[in-house]
Amino acid sequence: MARQRKIIHIDMDAFYASVEQRDFPEYRGKPLVVGGSPEGRGGVVATASYEARKFGIRSAMPSKTALRLCPEVLFVRPRFDAYKAASRHIREIFRRYTDVIEPLSLDEAYLDVTEDKQGIGSAIDIAKRIKQAISEELQLTASAGISVNKFVAKIASDLQKPDGLTFIGPSKVEAFMEKLPVEQFFGVGKVTAAKMNALGFHTGADLKKLSEEAMIHHFGKPGRFYYQIVRGIDHREVQSHRETKSVSVEDTYQQDIAVVEEMLVALDRLTAKLASRLQSTQLKGRTVTVKFKFHDFALMTRSHTVPVLIADKGDIFQVVEQLVAKADLHDRKVRLLGVGISNFETSETERHEKASDVQLKLFDVPPSDAMPPSMRGYGP
C-alpha cells in the first residue's frame, strides 16, 4: 500500500491587518481595514481585522460598504514590503521541517511533512511547532489544518480560526466530507452552491448520492472532482515549485480617462512597474496583453505575441502602443487599465528559483485611489 501522506495547510490569521496591529499599537483592538479608500472609486478591502469582521466586513468587499457597516472602522494603505518580509520569515520557519512547500499567496501554504527534516514523525507536533515559532518570532498567529490530502487540510485550517489547529485523520475524512455544507467546499463558489441547493444538494452526503456521470452532467468537468473529493479522495501533490503563467499590473482611476494620449501615459507607468517586477524575477515573455475596463464596466483585452523573449520596459511598451492603436477606443471612457506578459520560456532551474517570488495576491498592485499619499490611516 502507498504510504499515507501528511499534509499541513497553514493560513495566517487576518495577515495584513495583523501585521499592522503588531507594528502600530494604536490599531490594536480596533476595527481595521487594509485596502482601498472608501472616498475613491474602486477601493476594495484586502484584509479586515477580526474586530472589523464582527460587523460583517470581509475581504474583497467594496470599501464604501465596509464604512457603511462600521462607521468607526479605520482604513490603512497596504505596506507590501512589511507583508513580504513577514512572509519570507514564515517560509524560513517552514523550511526547518520540510522543503516540500507550495505557497498559495503571501499568507498561506501547503506543506508535505510525510518525511520531515527533523524526524519528528507527527504532523500535529510539526504544526504546533510552526505555530509556536510564528508566534514567538513574528508576534503573529496562524491556523493549521492537518490531514491526508490538500483539500481536507485547507478546509480544516479554517474551522477554528483564529489561532486554530484542526486534525482530520484518515478514518475521519469521509465522514467529515459527508457532513460538510456544500458552501464550504473549497472551489465551490456562490453560483455553484446555489445551483447545488436548488437541486436539493446541501451537504457532502447529498452529493455522494450522485453517480460520477450525473455529477458531470449537473456541474460540468468540476463534477468529476466533486465526485472524488466527497469520498475523501484527492491525489494532488504538494507542488514545491509552481510554474508562473503570467505577471500583470493594473490600476483603477478616480476619474474616467477619455483621451488616448492620457491612456498611454498611464500605460507607460504600468509598463514600468511590470518591467521592474520582471527584472526582480528574471522572467521574460513573448505575449503582451493590455486590459481595458470601461465606465460601463465592460471589459476588453488585446494581446500580441512577439517572436523573441522580452522583459525590457521599452520593448513591452512598443507592443502596448501597437495594441492601443488597434483597439477601438473612440469615445470610450476607461476606468481601469492593465498590462501583463505571459508565454514565458525559462529553464526549469530558473522557474524553481523564482516561482515563489511571484506568488502575489490580487492586492499586490493597489488601486491608485488606495489612500491619500500623505496619510497612512484615516477615520474617526
Side-chain angles (χ1 to χ4, degrees):
M1 293 181 61
R3 188 178 181 183
Q4 199 82 59
R5 290 187 296 169
K6 301 175 184 178
I7 309 297
I8 301 173
H9 180 258
I10 297 288
D11 191 7
M12 299 300 296
D13 300 322
F15 183 50
Y16 297 175
S18 295
V19 171
E20 297 299 333
Q21 290 180 320
R22 178 197 67 182
D23 294 348
F24 299 94
E26 62 268 29
Y27 296 149
R28 295 173 190 170
K30 297 181 180 179
L32 181 74
V33 160
V34 177
S37 165
E39 297 180 358
R41 188 190 60 198
V44 176
V45 176
T47 303
S49 69
Y50 282 96
E51 294 86 355
R53 295 182 189 192
K54 293 177 181 178
F55 293 88
I57 298 173
R58 296 289 184 268
S59 298
M61 173 182 289
S63 295
K64 288 183 179 179
T65 303
L67 184 62
R68 186 168 63 250
L69 290 172
C70 179
E72 294 79 25
V73 69
L74 301 173
F75 290 84
V76 298
R77 62 188 296 179
R79 296 185 301 130
F80 287 98
D81 287 344
Y83 312 147
K84 291 175 187 176
S87 182
R88 285 192 293 268
H89 191 149
I90 292 165
R91 291 193 195 167
E92 289 174 4
I93 293 172
F94 293 163
R95 282 191 285 269
R96 297 170 193 173
Y97 302 94
T98 180
D99 290 323
V100 188
I101 303 165
E102 181 180 341
L104 301 179
S105 61
L106 292 178
D107 63 341
E108 64 175 318
Y110 290 113
L111 289 71
D112 188 327
V113 295
T114 308
E115 296 182 3
D116 67 280
K117 290 180 177 180
Q118 299 187 26
I120 297 169
S122 168
I124 297 175
D125 287 346
I126 294 171
K128 288 179 178 178
R129 295 187 189 195
I130 289 173
K131 281 168 51 64
Q132 183 177 354
I134 290 173
S135 176
E136 293 177 352
E137 298 175 27
L138 290 104
Q139 294 76 55
L140 298 170
T141 63
S143 294
I146 307 153
S147 194
V148 296
N149 62 52
K150 293 167 68 173
F151 189 97
V152 179
K154 183 169 178 65
I155 295 174
S157 68
D158 197 45
L159 294 181
Q160 299 186 55
K161 274 184 163 290
D163 199 20
L165 188 148
T166 303
F167 169 66
I168 301 174
S171 63
K172 305 291 185 182
V173 168
E174 195 163 352
F176 171 76
M177 293 304 304
E178 289 178 354
K179 295 178 181 178
L180 195 71
V182 295
E183 292 83 0
Q184 294 185 29
F185 273 53
F186 175 62
V188 174
K190 291 182 179 179
V191 174
T192 301
K195 182 177 181 180
M196 289 179 173
N197 290 164
L199 292 169
F201 308 127
H202 300 278
T203 66
D206 295 332
L207 287 176
K208 201 172 180 180
K209 298 173 183 177
L210 292 175
S211 66
E212 184 172 5
E213 291 75 14
M215 197 82 83
I216 296 171
H217 171 74
H218 286 300
F219 310 113
K221 290 182 179 179
R224 182 173 288 107
F225 180 69
Y226 301 150
Y227 179 84
Q228 295 287 324
I229 200 60
V230 77
R231 291 162 173 77
I233 302 169
D234 181 9
H235 297 302
R236 295 174 301 156
E237 296 182 353
V238 174
Q239 299 175 3
S240 54
H241 304 296
R242 302 175 69 200
E243 182 177 352
T244 304
K245 299 296 185 182
S246 65
V247 177
S248 62
V249 295
E250 62 183 41
D251 216 341
T252 302
Y253 304 99
Q254 287 184 310
Q255 295 183 343
D256 295 331
I257 303 175
V259 180
V260 172
E261 287 74 14
E262 293 180 7
M263 295 181 198
L264 288 171
V265 171
L267 287 166
D268 182 73
R269 293 174 183 154
L270 288 173
T271 304
K273 290 182 181 179
L274 178 62
S276 177
R277 183 174 297 180
L278 291 172
Q279 182 179 10
S280 68
T281 57
Q282 297 183 10
L283 287 169
K284 294 183 178 182
R286 296 198 302 121
T287 301
V288 176
T289 300
V290 179
K291 176 180 177 181
F292 307 89
K293 182 181 284 187
F294 300 102
H295 71 286
D296 59 357
F297 292 90
L299 190 65
M300 179 176 75
T301 59
R302 292 292 182 267
S303 300
H304 179 69
T305 299
V306 295
V308 296
L309 292 168
I310 59 174
D312 180 75
K313 187 251 184 183
D315 294 335
I316 298 172
F317 190 66
Q318 185 176 354
V319 181
V320 169
E321 287 183 301
Q322 295 173 6
L323 291 171
V324 171
K326 294 179 180 179
D328 183 13
L329 299 174
H330 296 294
D331 300 323
R332 304 197 72 177
K333 297 180 180 180
V334 169
R335 60 178 276 121
L336 177 148
L337 290 168
V339 181
I341 191 165
S342 58
N343 199 0
F344 300 122
E345 293 181 14
T346 57
S347 70
E348 190 70 16
T349 301
E350 288 174 330
R351 278 205 301 269
H352 288 184
E353 290 176 348
K354 303 301 176 182
S356 63
D357 293 333
V358 292
Q359 303 302 319
L360 302 177
K361 288 188 126 178
L362 169 66
F363 300 96
D364 197 29
V365 183
S368 60
D369 65 344
M371 206 46 76
S374 60
M375 301 175 66
R376 281 209 70 263
Y378 60 92

